[in-house]
Amino acid sequence: MNNTLWKFLDDTGTFVARNPHKLSRLYFPLANNNILSSITPTLHGDIKTDLHSFLTPPATTEDLHDSRYNRNFWLYIKGIGAWSAASGHVTESLVEAGMLWHKVIRVNKRLGIKAGFTNFIPVNNDPVEIMTVELTNLGKRKLNITPTAAIPIYGRSQDRLRDHRHVSSLLNRIKIDKHGVIVTPTMSFDERGHKINSTSYFVLGYDSHGNAPTGCFPTLLEFSGEGGNLDRPEAVLKNLGPKRKPEFTRQGKEAMGGLRFKSLNLAPGKSVKYVIIMGITHVKKPLKIFKKFNLQKKINHALKLNQEFWTEKISSISLSTHNKDFDRWVRWVTLQPALRKVFGCSFLPDFDYGRGGRGWRDLWQDCLTLLLINPKEVRRTLINNFAGVRLDGSNATIIGKNEGEFIPDRNNIQRVWMDHGLWPFITLNLYINQTGDTDILFERVPYFESKNKDTILNHILLQHKRPFTKIGRHGNFLLEGGDWNDSLDMAREKGESVAFTAAYAGNLIELADLLEKINYKKQIINDLLKKARRLTKNICKNEWLTVKPGSGFFNGYYDNRGRRIGGRHKNGVRMTLTGQVFPVMSGVAKDEQVKKIYKSAKRFLWDKKLHGFRLNTDFGKVYPEMGRAFSFIYGEKENGSFFSHMNIMFANALYKRGFAKEGYEVLNSIYKMSMNTNLSKIYPGLPEYFNSDGRGMYHYLTGSASWLVLTMLTQVFGIRGNMGNLLIEPKLVKEQFKRSSKISVATHFAGRKIKVNYFNPRKLTYGKYKVGRISINGKIVSGIPIKRSLFLKLTSKSPNNTIEIYLSPR
């Protein structure tokens, strides 16, 4: 690994990056439940509450380095001239960041000045981003400086960025307060139906003594000047003071949060501070919110609460292995499902889906990590989620902002993803095993777009019945509008997903097993098993391909002309990773086939340069009979990139089947690609995918994060529920005991905090050891799984419920 970008500072995951301003697409998230931000080392990025309420202009990854719009802070230095402390020339820069706080230090040695910016969003859900600015004189002579905060106020929907940009600015009503600028447009502009607006956008500030600015530049034109721009603003370059003008002359203009502070002499070694409050409010008055943060001590307290809240949130699951960097990296991955819950899939600069919100699949997969931490809190969420299922077994595709709120289709485009019926049961089954709560199956919830109520179990049965009404001529479920790979979207009529037919077969077996445990109707259990066996037999008989002696793999799909896409082709062997993951995970593939699949994956999908598994081989052509994926350049997105989600599900499947060595290799490849920042060019965490350059793309908002945490806890460490009792089944390999014979994981079970210590004195690998002596808080226990009742006797407040497990030779 070549981590040249950043290094960790402590076990909570705080890191420092040197000169990150030299990278073009680097960003960091800030959020609470009511406001969302992205921020870069030059303070670019945007601030918004939803699709239609952006304080600053919407920013894509390309805007991060090309746009003049950022959170700027200008200095006019007497005798020298103007300098942008946020994005102007620097000798060096540094970013220090932790759990949702971000600090930039920028040094200009020629000017002899250092600027520090700390940005965060308070956890009390007030809709503001707070920025503190500290300026320090590094030189030997005093500097006479005139500071000006410069925050462009866009103040409307992302849709107005191009359409009706000028017309919508005419709606702006700008109020100058002594602390800054407040903009309240008269209407929300939308040709489908204009609405009276009540949302206000504001930029307010003060210095370290609580003094208000001396004046404001409330419009873009007043700040930049005719012929000027945000990189060369006339108000700063000429050191012009704010002018008194009739209020009406400023209305209906592009707004600006230009806050001029009092000029001062900054002595050598001395510092001065400023606070800028940037916010959007739909209900509360801006000044009422501002009063909560109008003193430096209030800011310090809010930052402390922020750091404590997010650190506690990600401490619910933590690792202690021989590799501290890996343990700390996992903390950032653990944060990612919480980020996607508030950001959806769209509100960071990659803008994956463009229109905001999470999809159906995201809803269920993000719950995987959350329910491992606190299943009791997730129960109500799970119940509400089933209200998105229709009477025919299909479902709403978009999740609303409120729990239990669903929207039929994305962008009003009707589409069915054939895999959608799969995920709810996978998540619910994990919940039931973690808690033993089988009563949830019989909770009654309504169907989507219907007043009919039914049990959750019947919702699940309908979801698994529907695919059998959509079977292709090769005996697999029709692909319809796509599956997990939603860019396989042009094979609606004759396309088949072998991969997810196998996944459904696995679900049917798991569902039958669960129903048998609760003594449910035998006829239904037998029907589920019969269907599963039929699907399994067809896949094993007709979809197994042997293209090289000693290896083999499954065909994953049929195209819209009914042609098998996997196997030998004139352009070379075609293989998909997805086509292997679900036969392995579901149990459709036999053990001998799993060995051959892995051998084939290493031969055809493994990249020898970047050391990772690609999503598919290069099909070598645009493939309109299959989907848009094959129109992407090979190595990007769903066409042959190193897709984190499918890689981690591959690892999960291998661990689940007892192939721990192989699973470890897959997980380790993704970790190493993330940590090779010379190529990945990202902060700690897991991106959606890596491209052929090894660059991490679409950082933070990815379902792979939940699957990694799930895999580490339930498969690698083997700590998982079994109908409410605790199963201990580690699949640790010798590489994980390199530097120590002890490794640990801290988590929750039965509402109790537990720390599990594994001792492996002989450093044996998986398959060579067995679980030996087990003790809880020093008392020997016998029998696996460990009864839930034993944990319920432990105090729920103790942070030190310790399980010690010795691994002894077989």
Side-chain angles (χ1 to χ4, degrees):
M1 288 183 291
N2 192 1
N3 186 356
T4 57
L5 176 58
W6 53 263
K7 66 177 181 180
F8 284 120
L9 297 180
D10 58 38
D11 287 343
T12 67
T14 305
F15 65 90
V16 62
R18 297 198 176 277
N19 294 317
H21 69 282
K22 295 180 179 180
L23 296 180
S24 298
R25 301 165 65 93
L26 199 61
Y27 61 83
F28 187 85
L30 301 171
N32 63 28
N33 288 326
N34 289 327
I35 195 164
L36 312 167
S37 296
S38 58
I39 191 167
T40 76
T42 54
L43 305 190
H44 284 80
D46 55 29
I47 304 171
K48 61 272 174 184
T49 59
D50 54 43
L51 184 69
H52 298 297
S53 305
F54 279 74
L55 172 68
T56 56
T60 69
T61 47
E62 296 306 322
D63 298 319
L64 299 180
H65 56 96
D66 277 346
S67 174
R68 293 184 171 119
Y69 291 92
N70 69 332
R71 309 160 178 84
N72 218 329
F73 200 91
W74 286 88
L75 301 180
Y76 182 84
I77 307 173
K78 189 174 182 180
I80 296 175
W83 178 59
S84 166
S87 54
H89 171 77
V90 289
T91 315
E92 60 181 317
S93 74
L94 178 146
V95 163
E96 183 180 334
M99 293 299 158
L100 298 205
W101 60 270
H102 182 272
K103 182 177 183 179
V104 184
I105 296 174
R106 296 171 54 81
V107 176
N108 188 321
K109 289 183 178 178
R110 183 178 65 84
L111 299 179
I113 197 160
K114 177 177 76 172
F117 300 87
T118 300
N119 292 66
F120 70 99
I121 289 175
V123 294
N124 65 356
N125 289 326
D126 278 317
V128 295
E129 180 187 313
I130 297 171
M131 179 169 76
T132 62
V133 184
E134 183 173 15
L135 306 171
T136 305
N137 185 348
L138 300 178
K140 296 181 179 179
R141 60 186 180 87
K142 70 179 181 182
L143 296 173
N144 181 273
I145 61 172
T146 303
T148 308
I151 317 295
I153 301 178
Y154 172 73
R156 47 203 187 271
S157 168
Q158 73 165 29
D159 295 338
R160 304 286 78 79
L161 192 62
R162 178 186 178 276
D163 293 343
H164 305 292
R165 175 74 186 259
H166 171 254
V167 172
S168 56
S169 72
L170 302 179
L171 305 172
N172 282 349
R173 297 298 183 268
I174 300 171
K175 176 186 175 183
I176 298 178
D177 179 76
K178 72 173 185 176
H179 284 100
V181 179
I182 300 169
V183 180
T184 310
T186 54
M187 299 188 80
S188 176
F189 188 98
D190 189 337
E191 288 185 309
R192 292 170 298 181
H194 308 305
K195 296 178 181 177
I196 295 296
N197 172 65
S198 60
T199 300
S200 294
Y201 306 84
F202 57 94
V203 176
L204 305 168
Y206 55 91
D207 66 19
S208 56
H209 300 292
N211 298 316
T214 59
C216 296
F217 302 96
T219 70
L220 202 58
L221 185 60
E222 283 182 65
F223 180 68
S224 298
E226 197 70 52
N229 57 50
L230 289 171
D231 281 347
R232 295 186 59 77
E234 185 181 60
V236 177
L237 295 181
K238 295 183 179 180
N239 198 26
L240 303 176
K243 296 178 180 178
R244 292 187 177 275
K245 297 175 68 175
E247 185 178 303
F248 74 89
T249 64
R250 287 169 162 154
Q251 305 311 322
K253 303 285 198 308
E254 289 284 355
M256 185 73 194
L259 279 54
R260 171 62 56 81
F261 291 94
K262 183 179 179 181
S263 299
L264 71 149
N265 290 317
L266 190 60
K270 296 297 182 179
S271 300
V272 61
K273 289 185 178 181
Y274 301 90
V275 174
I276 310 298
I277 310 294
M278 302 163 283
I280 306 169
T281 176
H282 302 293
V283 180
K284 292 182 181 178
K285 292 183 178 180
L287 295 180
K288 188 174 182 180
I289 298 172
F290 175 71
K291 284 180 181 178
K292 294 183 179 182
F293 306 103
N294 63 353
L295 293 174
Q296 183 66 56
K297 65 180 182 180
K298 295 180 181 180
I299 302 296
N300 296 341
H301 180 65
L303 177 58
K304 182 172 180 288
L305 290 178
N306 172 281
Q307 292 169 334
E308 290 173 351
F309 174 85
W310 288 107
T311 299
E312 174 65 23
K313 197 171 189 70
I314 57 95
S315 296
S316 300
I317 297 174
S318 61
L319 310 181
S320 179
T321 71
H322 73 278
N323 186 341
K324 278 188 171 291
D325 278 353
F326 177 76
D327 302 342
R328 294 163 175 175
W329 177 79
V330 169
R331 283 180 173 264
W332 283 98
V333 178
T334 304
L335 174 71
Q336 289 180 232
L339 289 179
R340 198 159 74 157
K341 188 175 182 182
V342 293
F343 275 97
C345 293
S346 307
F347 288 119
L348 284 177
D350 285 300
F351 268 73
D352 193 2
Y353 293 108
R355 302 294 298 178
R358 289 182 293 167
W360 180 256
R361 192 183 307 116
D362 311 324
L363 177 71
W364 296 96
Q365 293 189 97
D366 291 347
C367 281
L368 294 173
T369 297
L370 302 176
L371 71 83
L372 288 171
I373 296 169
N374 194 338
K376 189 175 181 180
E377 280 189 9
V378 177
R379 188 182 197 271
R380 176 48 52 188
T381 300
L382 291 175
I383 293 170
N384 289 337
N385 289 352
F386 276 98
V389 178
R390 290 188 177 97
L391 274 166
D392 68 351
S394 67
N395 53 268
T397 59
I398 299 298
I399 313 308
K401 195 165 185 179
N402 300 316
E403 192 169 285
E405 179 186 354
F406 300 96
I407 301 167
D409 305 292
R410 186 179 300 282
N411 300 338
N412 294 318
I413 301 170
Q414 290 189 355
R415 184 173 170 188
V416 174
W417 283 264
M418 60 82 64
D419 68 306
H420 275 184
L422 187 81
W423 307 105
F425 176 68
I426 290 175
T427 304
L428 186 72
N429 197 34
L430 176 65
Y431 166 81
I432 290 172
N433 274 305
Q434 289 295 113
T435 63
D437 175 18
T438 57
D439 290 344
I440 194 172
L441 289 167
F442 304 100
E443 292 279 356
R444 299 182 70 84
V445 293
Y447 289 100
F448 183 57
E449 297 177 327
S450 169
K451 294 181 180 179
N452 293 342
K453 278 193 170 189
D454 206 345
T455 64
I456 284 177
L457 176 57
N458 281 339
H459 282 64
I460 292 168
L461 290 171
L462 279 174
Q463 287 183 300
H464 288 77
K465 180 181 179 181
R466 182 187 179 277
F468 286 93
T469 68
K470 307 285 182 180
I471 293 182
R473 70 178 186 179
H474 301 94
N476 305 294
F477 296 152
L478 289 174
L479 182 56
E480 300 187 80
D483 61 12
W484 168 89
N485 187 340
D486 61 4
S487 63
L488 302 181
D489 55 353
M490 298 171 73
R492 291 173 182 265
E493 290 79 26
K494 296 181 180 179
E496 298 174 41
S497 176
V498 181
F500 278 91
T501 302
Y504 274 106
N507 260 23
L508 293 172
I509 293 169
E510 293 274 358
L511 181 54
D513 180 60
L514 174 62
L515 296 183
E516 198 161 14
K517 288 175 181 175
I518 63 171
N519 298 314
Y520 199 68
K521 301 170 185 176
K522 197 64 182 175
Q523 183 180 349
I524 290 177
I525 294 170
N526 289 339
D527 182 58
L528 294 173
L529 291 174
K530 182 180 177 182
K531 287 176 177 176
R533 284 192 287 266
R534 191 173 82 209
L535 296 175
T536 300
K537 182 180 179 181
N538 180 64
I539 292 170
C540 289
K541 180 181 177 181
N542 298 315
E543 306 301 343
W544 179 254
L545 309 172
T546 303
V547 295
K548 296 277 185 180
S551 64
F553 58 87
F554 284 101
N555 170 47
Y557 296 93
Y558 287 87
D559 68 18
N560 211 33
R561 290 169 63 183
R563 298 174 301 184
R564 174 184 287 150
I565 74 164
R568 292 183 184 274
H569 285 261
K570 61 181 180 180
N571 293 330
V573 171
R574 291 180 175 177
M575 179 181 179
T576 65
L577 186 59
T578 313
Q580 317 319 311
V581 167
F582 293 101
V584 174
M585 186 182 287
S586 64
V588 167
K590 299 178 177 66
D591 283 354
E592 193 58 36
Q593 288 176 314
V594 176
K595 292 176 185 176
K596 291 179 179 179
I597 284 170
Y598 195 75
K599 188 174 180 180
S600 296
K602 288 286 288 195
R603 179 177 292 178
F604 299 118
L605 299 176
W606 179 260
D607 187 286
K608 293 179 181 178
K609 180 183 175 184
L610 295 174
H611 303 288
F613 290 96
R614 291 184 178 273
L615 192 58
N616 53 270
T617 54
D618 188 354
F619 282 30
K621 69 167 191 174
V622 175
Y623 199 167
E625 298 89 357
M626 200 64 222
R628 69 178 188 269
F630 299 101
S631 296
F632 301 148
I633 191 67
Y634 184 69
E636 292 281 353
K637 265 290 195 177
E638 290 95 344
N639 188 17
S641 72
F642 305 86
F643 221 91
S644 299
H645 203 166
M646 197 50 63
N647 266 267
I648 290 164
M649 286 196 285
F650 190 33
N652 182 281
L654 290 164
Y655 275 112
K656 189 176 178 182
R657 296 297 299 276
F659 290 80
K661 179 183 176 183
E662 292 80 359
Y664 175 77
E665 183 176 19
V666 178
L667 277 186
N668 206 35
S669 70
I670 289 292
Y671 166 65
K672 286 185 173 181
M673 290 185 80
S674 298
M675 293 292 284
N676 184 3
T677 59
N678 194 38
L679 297 180
S680 67
K681 296 177 172 59
I682 55 173
Y683 290 141
L686 195 58
E688 182 185 81
Y689 73 94
F690 301 90
N691 65 17
S692 289
D693 298 323
R695 187 167 199 146
M697 305 293 289
Y698 297 76
H699 199 8
Y700 299 113
L701 307 181
T702 166
S704 57
S706 274
W707 275 89
L708 187 135
V709 175
L710 175 75
T711 301
M712 288 301 303
L713 186 62
T714 65
Q715 293 297 326
V716 179
F717 281 87
I719 303 298
R720 62 182 183 274
N722 185 324
M723 298 303 286
N725 302 315
L726 183 65
L727 189 65
I728 297 174
E729 193 178 79
K731 292 168 185 167
L732 300 158
V733 295
K734 62 182 180 182
E735 288 83 356
Q736 292 166 294
F737 291 98
K738 261 184 182 177
R739 298 178 194 168
S740 174
S741 60
K742 172 190 171 185
I743 63 175
S744 308
V745 59
T747 184
H748 289 72
F749 188 77
R752 307 303 189 261
K753 291 182 179 180
I754 60 171
K755 183 177 183 181
V756 180
N757 298 323
Y758 282 108
F759 296 91
N760 186 359
R762 297 178 63 172
K763 299 186 177 181
L764 302 169
T765 197
Y766 177 71
K768 300 293 184 182
Y769 59 73
K770 63 181 179 180
V771 173
R773 190 175 80 241
I774 302 175
S775 66
I776 300 179
N777 295 340
K779 295 181 180 179
I780 302 295
V781 297
S782 59
I784 298 175
I786 302 172
K787 295 294 185 184
R788 188 179 191 84
S789 57
L790 196 59
F791 292 95
L792 296 177
K793 293 175 183 176
L794 304 175
T795 172
S796 60
K797 296 182 180 179
S798 173
N800 300 312
N801 291 310
T802 303
I803 303 176
E804 296 196 336
I805 301 163
Y806 286 82
L807 304 178
S808 56
R810 282 190 176 275

